[in-house]
Amino acid sequence: MRYFYGIFIIKDNAMPELNTSSFTEQKALIKNPIDQLKHDIAQVKVRGYAECLEEIQTGVSSVAVPIFMANVGTIFSIGCIGPVSKFSATRRAEIGASLLGLVGRISQAIQ
């Protein structure tokens, strides 16, 4: 079974190598990568947006929001990327809220 996690494909419970100082390592680690993925997806559902904190590249953070399309589901997203020094937790929440405010208009425009 394959699961998509960011730009990586997880296959057979094998988590890809990420940046050694990744946010994933800084938070309470969940031993099973599938459980970690489920936990991360649950957090995205609650917040409405996804965060990436140095998980792919040191010094880089991002926030992304899914774009829903009727009869198709979510196949697009819109995001913002920048240096960790400018993306505090408060700033990421602000960016996430701003992006959430745009997705309805974007979804309507591309349908």
Side-chain angles (χ1 to χ4, degrees), residues 14-85:
M15 190 69 142
E17 274 301 312
L18 298 176
N19 176 20
T20 57
S21 65
S22 72
F23 179 72
T24 303
E25 294 174 6
Q26 296 171 16
K27 62 184 176 181
L29 289 176
I30 298 172
K31 299 291 182 188
N32 182 328
I34 301 305
D35 290 340
Q36 181 68 54
L37 178 62
K38 289 176 182 178
H39 171 77
D40 291 348
I41 290 171
Q43 285 186 322
V44 170
K45 287 181 179 180
V46 169
R47 285 191 308 250
Y49 60 90
E51 297 180 332
C52 179
L53 299 166
E54 297 188 296
E55 291 182 36
I56 298 172
Q57 184 169 343
T58 302
V60 177
S61 287
S62 63
V63 178
V65 176
I67 299 172
F68 179 80
M69 294 180 62
N71 300 322
V72 179
T74 301
I75 59 171
F76 299 108
S77 65
I78 185 170
C80 185
I81 186 169
V84 172
S85 62

